[in-house]
Amino acid sequence: MNFTLSNKPLTNVKADCLVVALPDKGDLPESTRLADEALGGLIKKLQKSGDLLGKNAHTVMIPTPDQPWDRLLVVGTGSDKSRTTATFHKALIAMTGQLKEGAAKHALVALHDTPLTGDDTASSESAKLSLIGRTLEDQLYSFNSFKSEKPASRKLNKITVTASAAGKSQKDAFQLGLATGRGMNFTKDLGNTPPNICHPIWLAEQAKTLAKNHEAIKTEILDEKQMEKLGMNTILAVGKGSTQPPRFIIMEYRGGKAKDKPHVLVGKGITFDTGGISLKPGEGMDEMKYDMGGSASVLGAMQVIAEVKPKINVVAVIAAAENMPDGGASRPGDIVTTMAGLTVEILNTDAEGRLVLCDALTYVKRYDPASVVDLATLTGACIIALGHHASAVFSNDEGLSKELLAAGERAGDRAWPMPLWDDYQNLLDSNFADMQNIGGRAAGSITAACFLSRFAKDYRWAHLDIAGTAWNSGKAKGSTGRPVPLLVDYLMSHVGK
């Protein structure tokens, strides 16, 4: 797809389709007003007659002969008072759905002047251009690598997005959005790849390829012997039941000053999760290929950073393993010693994500990080609590939690704070070890975070449980690319600080 940014007048750009916004009521955005003038007041006439609705995400395609554009796509954007980043995003999704299935080869998207509510940063033209770019890349995604019959190619091959000016700030914002969309698509590709291909070594190879394609990224892979030497016994314990050996992936991006502390991302990379000896039910187990959603998001975010090259230092680590049941697998009742020297009684081998993450959280202490954010499809309890709308945020630092929540709001990739009180910690008490790896049915996502918190006491840390947001089930089954937008916004908010 060819994406361009233009500040030329609408009537000076020839395209197969012009896209404009229609509010529920009130004044038309400038682009819509100019299009209406060129069409002799047609938009207002159709709105008055009820043939055009400003209801958010409502779309209507109109033929426009004798114009620089063959057709006009009118996208409802709701009322000015209720038009947030989230509702505007829904309108953009509806727009892209119409374009990708339509007959237009070249679309001219004039939505940059649609007013949004919220703070100046979230409602700025730069923020809107970034969101438009991201949504276009994200929504034009398809995954058909394993289909013998490929779908017909789309007619749409060029999209021009309008802006008030085509200066550096506008271009940078638009390119950041496009890069974020590509990062989401990389994340989706990784998550959608079947587990007979996507195993720990393959995942490590993707990180190597990322470093090969972007010289700003340096990648190192640790094998079992190196992990054993470091004392990463809990990662090794999870991988013991599989013929696919675990891997520990380290990626470094150094775009800031040498003295600047890095921001660290930690990803859970369980490439397939049977539950181990604590075997999961068979129904829906195919979706456990998405249990590496945290690692996929980390890789997607690192690709974005490598593309836009911000002046910031970022380190990413991924603990990759496959959780399978065989004669060598960990048993309920086993006790293992973590890299931190603490002992864990494994009561349930299906609570394996926290076991691989705890060693990773110990490892990253060596970077003296400015912040550490781990990402994991960790608990079904999180889905019960928050559904599929928001990622859960647990943190030992209120300021960090607020930063992540704000980034999610700005990016339209929402998150919600959860408690991490000491009251929950005793649910992890073990009769035989320093702790057990589960705390019972009650507060399952909280006790999982409490477990992780014991290994993150030496730095500002947050845990994102993305079990409800990293993938869709049912007919729309597939990876979502979340929370790459949140991560990118969070990291970019620290550039220059």
Side-chain angles (χ1 to χ4, degrees):
M1 186 67 66
N2 182 3
F3 295 102
T4 58
L5 194 67
S6 172
N7 64 334
K8 295 179 181 178
L10 297 182
T11 52
N12 289 4
V13 181
K14 185 173 177 57
D16 299 316
C17 181
L18 169 66
V19 183
V20 296
L22 183 68
D24 197 29
K25 56 184 177 180
D27 296 335
L28 300 178
E30 181 66 10
S31 295
T32 310
R33 187 187 65 77
L34 292 173
D36 189 47
E37 286 181 2
L39 293 166
L42 179 63
I43 295 175
K44 285 186 177 180
K45 288 176 185 177
L46 292 175
Q47 183 182 30
K48 188 175 181 179
S49 67
D51 292 302
L52 286 181
L53 301 178
K55 180 181 177 182
N56 191 58
H58 184 270
T59 60
V60 176
M61 189 77 78
I62 304 169
T64 54
D66 304 321
Q67 295 294 332
W69 340 286
D70 297 331
R71 53 186 68 79
L72 178 74
L73 177 59
V74 180
V75 181
T77 56
S79 68
D80 289 350
K81 291 182 179 180
S82 62
R83 192 181 305 113
T84 62
T85 298
T87 60
F88 186 51
H89 187 213
K90 289 180 181 178
L92 293 174
I93 291 172
M95 169 201 74
T96 312
Q98 286 289 333
L99 292 177
K100 71 181 181 182
E101 301 300 333
K105 295 180 180 179
H106 176 201
L108 177 63
V109 177
L111 301 177
H112 70 280
D113 49 8
T114 302
L116 303 185
T117 61
D119 62 40
D120 292 341
T121 301
S123 60
S124 68
E125 180 177 335
S126 290
K128 286 180 282 189
L129 290 173
S130 184
L131 183 59
I132 291 169
R134 183 186 107 201
T135 307
L136 289 169
E137 282 280 15
D138 172 32
Q139 293 299 308
L140 291 171
Y141 172 84
S142 63
F143 186 79
N144 49 49
S145 301
F146 297 89
K147 289 182 179 282
S148 56
E149 187 175 339
K150 306 300 182 186
S153 299
R154 294 192 187 105
K155 293 184 178 180
L156 185 69
N157 57 41
K158 182 179 180 180
I159 297 176
T160 301
V161 174
T162 62
S164 62
K168 187 176 186 304
S169 62
Q170 288 88 353
K171 288 180 179 178
D172 286 351
F174 186 53
Q175 290 303 319
L176 175 60
L178 293 173
T180 302
R182 287 190 290 269
M184 294 176 71
N185 292 345
F186 181 37
T187 293
K188 286 183 277 188
D189 279 346
L190 295 171
N192 292 334
T193 298
N196 57 317
I197 292 174
C198 179
H199 48 68
I201 291 177
W202 184 87
L203 200 61
E205 289 171 351
Q206 307 316 299
K208 289 180 180 178
T209 300
L210 186 63
K212 184 178 180 180
N213 294 338
H214 301 278
E215 61 180 20
I217 298 284
K218 176 185 175 183
T219 295
E220 181 183 4
I221 310 298
L222 304 185
D223 61 20
E224 311 99 296
K225 290 183 179 180
Q226 291 167 301
M227 285 188 276
E228 185 177 359
K229 188 175 181 180
L230 288 168
M232 293 180 166
N233 299 312
T234 48
I235 298 176
L236 294 170
V238 172
K240 284 197 307 180
S242 174
T243 57
Q244 298 291 349
R247 289 293 183 265
F248 193 76
I249 303 165
I250 305 153
M251 292 173 284
E252 296 187 25
Y253 168 82
R254 299 287 179 177
K257 298 176 182 177
K259 66 177 182 179
D260 292 345
K261 295 182 177 182
H263 294 273
V264 176
L265 304 178
V266 178
K268 171 188 171 183
I270 301 297
T271 56
F272 193 76
D273 182 19
T274 65
I277 298 300
S278 305
L279 193 67
K280 292 177 180 289
E283 184 179 358
M285 194 191 285
D286 62 289
E287 294 191 7
M288 287 300 99
K289 70 176 184 177
Y290 298 119
D291 212 17
M292 40 66 73
S295 64
S297 296
V298 166
L299 282 161
M302 289 301 283
Q303 176 178 286
V304 179
I305 294 301
E307 281 194 31
V308 300
K309 296 181 175 59
K311 293 182 179 180
I312 187 175
N313 294 331
V314 183
V315 173
V317 302
I318 291 170
E322 187 177 62
N323 189 22
M324 299 288 281
D326 82 348
S330 295
R331 297 155 291 242
D334 282 1
I335 294 176
V336 294
T337 302
T338 67
M339 185 180 178
L342 299 172
T343 56
V344 178
E345 182 185 10
I346 301 174
L347 295 187
N348 188 323
T349 62
D350 194 22
E352 84 299 327
R354 65 204 71 182
L355 295 178
V356 300
L357 286 173
C358 72
D359 279 349
L361 291 171
T362 301
Y363 181 88
V364 300
K365 180 182 174 181
R366 65 188 60 199
Y367 294 104
D368 188 22
S371 68
V372 175
V373 179
D374 79 65
L375 302 102
T377 50
L378 205 64
T379 65
C382 184
I383 302 176
I384 300 301
L386 297 177
H388 298 279
H389 297 82
S391 302
V393 177
F394 302 83
S395 183
N396 62 10
D397 185 281
E398 186 176 355
L400 176 57
S401 176
K402 288 181 177 179
E403 286 182 40
L404 290 166
L405 294 169
E409 289 294 330
R410 288 191 300 266
D413 184 8
R414 303 178 78 179
W416 192 253
M418 298 285 280
L420 195 63
W421 303 328
D422 288 341
D423 309 56
Y424 294 102
Q425 290 284 356
N426 62 6
L427 294 174
L428 296 171
D429 288 348
S430 166
N431 290 347
F432 308 109
D434 295 328
M435 69 193 83
Q436 56 194 36
N437 75 324
I438 58 171
R441 288 180 59 84
S445 61
I446 298 173
T447 53
C450 285
F451 181 94
L452 296 177
S453 72
R454 300 183 179 200
F455 301 89
K457 293 179 178 179
D458 297 319
Y459 43 73
R460 299 170 71 234
W461 160 81
H463 159 60
L464 268 62
D465 194 328
I466 59 173
T469 55
W471 78 79
N472 292 318
S473 297
K475 189 173 179 63
K477 182 166 62 176
S479 177
T480 65
R482 295 180 64 188
V484 170
L486 183 156
L487 293 176
V488 172
D489 190 288
Y490 169 72
L491 292 172
M492 295 300 292
S493 71
H494 287 274
V495 174
K497 293 185 178 179

